[in-house]
Amino acid sequence: MVIIKRKELSFIEKLYLPQIFQALSHSFRAMFQPRITRQYPEEPLPTNEVTRGQPRLTLLEDGEHLACVSCGLCEAACPAYAITIDGHETERFIEREPERFEIDMLRCILCGFCEEACPKDAIFMSDELELADFSRAALVYDIDKLKRPREELQGRIDYFYQVNDRWRTPSSTS
Amino acid sequence: MPLPLVWLIKVVLIYGGLITVAAAMSLAERKVSAWIQWRVGPNRVGPWGLLQPVADGVKFIFKEELVPEGANQTLFRLAPILSAVPPMLAVAVIPFAGEVSIGGHVTTLSIADLDISTLYVVAIGGLGIYGVILGGWSSNSKYSLLGGLRASAQMVSYELSLLLSILVVVVLSGTLDLRQIVNDQAGPIFAWNIFALPVGPIAFLLFVIATFAETNRHPFDFAECEPELVGGFHTEYSSMKFALFFLGEYCAMTVMACLTTVFFLGGGNIPWWPDAPWLLELTCFLSKMGFFLFLFLWVRWTLPRFRFDQLMALGWKVMLPIAIANVFVTGALLSLGWFA
């Protein structure tokens, strides 16, 4: 058994008033501290290339066609079954392109597996994070909503190559 | 201009002012709490969030009015009114400033000048507790009942210290008329009752602490006490009935701030300037009142809540003996000619 000796309070301490005034002065000074609130829609969160936002499809340099060849690897890699691809034939050299490429943003868990699975640099995680609409149907994004010029995603693409060089063998990068 | 019209103007001005201050307090509460916690506070409705009380009011009106099953219908509906009306009545005798000329009539800037206005304020202010008790009891909910019981015990015990510290002021001024008490403190700043050494500061401190308990504010807000009693006596209330309780609380705070100013800080008197114009006097009164209103908020967001038995011990074992001794010392010093 341990007997703890409590500190005897002096008369001034028993009055509590000095401590109360000390606390009041502390909270008064807090009123003039810089604010820590972020005014969200006006001041968005800072993002960088490490940010893993919603997946987006890259366009080729012609700015018209997708880099996607509708191989279906991302669809297979997707753990949340968010991606749906219908491919069809094309006269272009790549022979196949997606007719329909839909990502259900309500299912997407922003894991980035699609980006890792893609052999053609066609899908990358962007820094876009905001997701709001009035219906579920509107949140199933089609090609028109997903396509982005390659320059917009360039930061992410560079970062992606930098980190993934660790396990990419030379044959698979070519 | 006929005299009744002058009265009407004064009534509209003072009650309009009171309701405005109460509404502003609901915004100020959130703003000050935000500032103390390094946040920004409501800033979306109107410039700097100034229209937030309007938005809140509109929202309150459109909320559903619930009356719980088994509640006493009449008392349940009566309680919010009983809690909001007494502080509004009490403001009638507060002397905001000296003589004003309205439409050719020279009149004082208070709705009524009673000879016994101190008694009136105390009596009317004591009625406010009925709203809390009845609201807690008629809701047919254990949390509300506990909140109401606690509030009644607390308000009754602290009313004693409140009255005894008012008594010191009454003894010092020799009158029950609030306007006379204010006039008595005109002149240098040392004429204020708070500087009537040695009893003034003690009475002031007791009065301020008791006002916190009387208005159910932190650190004595046992009537609502969210973590223990959900919402206390107003747990079952919704919509405008709930808003009335809030209005009553903020009006009571305003009245208490006014009374502190009148009793201890010389009302609208500006030190060393007894004949100041009425507008300056009014500004002076309102800024003193504003400080005490700010003090309510400031203390709320600084101090934690007491334990209920500690609250009772403080009220009965500490404040009441000091208050009684203070009255006796005042009487003794007065008869010895100390305050002459």
Side-chain angles (χ1 to χ4, degrees):
Chain A
M1 193 172 76
V2 182
I3 296 172
I4 297 170
K5 279 190 182 160
R6 299 214 178 270
K7 186 174 157 266
E8 280 287 312
L9 296 179
S10 69
F11 176 72
I12 299 286
E13 282 171 326
K14 276 183 188 164
L15 278 179
Y16 292 118
L17 286 173
Q19 277 74 28
I20 286 177
F21 288 125
Q22 216 177 328
L24 283 175
S25 87
H26 184 84
S27 59
F28 191 76
R29 269 180 277 130
M31 291 176 67
F32 303 100
Q33 297 288 328
R35 308 290 92 181
I36 58 170
T37 311
R38 183 188 303 280
Q39 296 291 321
Y40 167 61
E42 293 88 15
E43 301 172 38
L45 271 169
T47 58
N48 56 26
E49 63 274 13
V50 186
T51 309
R52 212 166 58 210
Q54 296 162 8
R56 291 290 181 263
L57 301 179
T58 50
L59 286 168
L60 292 174
E61 275 159 21
D62 62 4
E64 190 182 342
H65 296 100
L66 292 176
C68 177
V69 296
S70 71
C71 64
L73 283 178
C74 55
E75 192 177 13
C78 183
Y81 305 113
I83 301 177
T84 312
I85 305 172
D86 285 344
H88 72 152
E89 291 187 7
T90 175
E91 294 302 311
R92 291 192 290 138
F93 174 71
I94 57 169
E95 294 181 358
R96 268 175 74 81
E97 67 177 12
E99 185 181 29
R100 182 169 76 118
F101 194 117
E102 285 179 352
I103 303 181
D104 187 344
M105 286 302 168
L106 294 173
R107 300 202 64 121
C108 177
I109 55 171
L110 313 182
C111 63
F113 282 10
C114 48
E115 165 185 66
E116 282 176 28
C118 185
K120 286 303 217 179
D121 287 357
I123 187 164
F124 281 101
M125 310 306 277
S126 65
D127 59 0
E128 296 166 39
L129 287 159
E130 290 169 4
L131 190 66
D133 215 309
F134 292 101
S135 72
R136 285 170 178 273
L139 289 168
V140 179
Y141 282 12
D142 59 10
I143 293 178
D144 280 341
K145 285 184 178 168
L146 288 171
K147 66 182 180 191
R148 290 285 181 275
R150 197 183 162 91
E151 300 81 58
E152 274 185 35
L153 299 165
Q154 196 59 52
R156 176 72 188 180
I157 294 170
D158 294 343
Y159 170 77
F160 182 79
Y161 273 100
Q162 188 191 328
V163 293
N164 285 1
D165 272 348
R166 279 178 300 183
W167 72 75
R168 282 202 174 193
T169 58
S171 62
S172 69
T173 47
S174 60
Chain B
M1 194 186 284
L3 200 54
L5 198 62
V6 176
W7 292 340
L8 198 65
I9 289 174
K10 285 202 293 188
V11 169
V12 168
L13 277 183
I14 289 176
Y15 276 103
L18 179 68
I19 301 293
T20 313
V21 168
M25 280 301 285
S26 72
L27 173 65
E29 176 114 61
R30 298 171 64 183
K31 274 287 189 189
V32 169
S33 76
W35 290 336
I36 286 179
Q37 296 164 354
W38 300 14
R39 293 184 287 113
V40 177
N43 63 350
R44 297 285 149 163
V45 193
W48 306 292
L50 282 179
L51 296 178
Q52 187 70 40
V54 182
D56 289 345
V58 170
K59 188 181 167 188
F60 270 130
I61 288 171
F62 284 105
K63 286 287 172 184
E64 185 185 0
E65 292 243 14
L66 283 173
V67 178
E69 205 175 62
N72 186 322
Q73 301 275 330
T74 321
L75 290 182
F76 189 78
R77 295 201 161 85
L78 194 63
I81 303 172
L82 278 182
S83 130
V85 167
M88 295 188 191
L89 288 178
V91 86
V93 293
I94 306 283
F96 287 101
E99 290 179 336
V100 195
S101 172
I102 302 176
H105 292 275
V106 174
T107 174
T108 51
L109 199 61
S110 59
I111 295 174
D113 279 323
L114 296 180
D115 291 339
I116 51 160
S117 40
T118 305
L119 280 185
Y120 171 83
V121 163
V122 164
I124 293 288
L127 289 178
I129 186 176
Y130 280 107
V132 174
I133 300 178
L134 290 179
W137 179 76
S138 65
S139 302
N140 191 30
S141 151
K142 50 186 171 296
Y143 296 120
S144 303
L145 185 60
L146 275 173
L149 283 177
R150 281 179 170 196
S152 52
Q154 167 191 338
M155 285 164 110
V156 167
S157 2
Y158 277 82
E159 200 144 2
L160 289 171
S161 322
L162 188 82
L163 299 189
L164 286 172
S165 44
I166 292 178
L167 199 58
V168 171
V169 175
V170 171
V171 168
L172 284 176
S173 299
T175 173
L176 283 170
D177 189 346
L178 289 179
R179 183 166 298 284
Q180 282 300 321
I181 290 175
V182 169
N183 291 342
D184 205 47
Q185 302 175 65
I189 199 169
F190 308 107
W192 292 2
N193 282 329
I194 186 179
F195 295 116
L197 295 170
V199 289
I202 298 174
F204 173 72
L205 200 61
L206 290 177
F207 186 86
V208 169
I209 294 173
T211 53
F212 279 91
E214 276 295 290
T215 49
N216 282 321
R217 294 290 300 181
H218 267 261
F220 306 123
D221 68 332
F222 286 90
E224 15 201 309
C225 197
E226 294 88 354
E228 294 159 37
L229 299 176
V230 192
F233 65 97
H234 56 53
T235 306
E236 304 294 339
Y237 281 88
S238 59
S239 186
M240 279 313 276
K241 290 209 277 292
F242 178 73
L244 266 184
F245 272 124
F246 256 67
L247 187 68
E249 180 176 331
Y250 287 123
C251 285
M253 281 161 64
T254 314
V255 168
M256 283 301 178
C258 288
L259 286 181
T260 319
T261 309
V262 166
F263 284 137
F264 294 98
L265 293 191
N269 282 319
I270 300 169
W272 292 287
W273 193 9
D275 318 314
W278 69 272
L279 201 61
L280 278 180
E281 277 192 7
L282 183 65
T283 316
C284 186
F285 188 99
L286 290 180
S287 48
K288 287 172 189 170
M289 184 192 84
F291 171 76
F292 283 106
L293 284 176
F294 173 69
L295 187 70
F296 275 115
L297 306 180
W298 186 11
V299 167
R300 168 165 186 186
W301 297 105
T302 303
L303 299 181
R305 186 182 290 120
F306 272 69
R307 216 169 60 203
F308 191 61
D309 60 317
Q310 290 174 336
L311 170 90
M312 282 308 184
L314 178 71
W316 289 102
K317 292 183 188 166
V318 181
M319 286 184 56
L320 189 61
I322 294 179
I324 293 175
N326 207 22
V327 172
F328 275 105
V329 171
T330 313
L333 289 177
L334 197 72
S335 62
L336 292 174
W338 177 278
F339 300 110

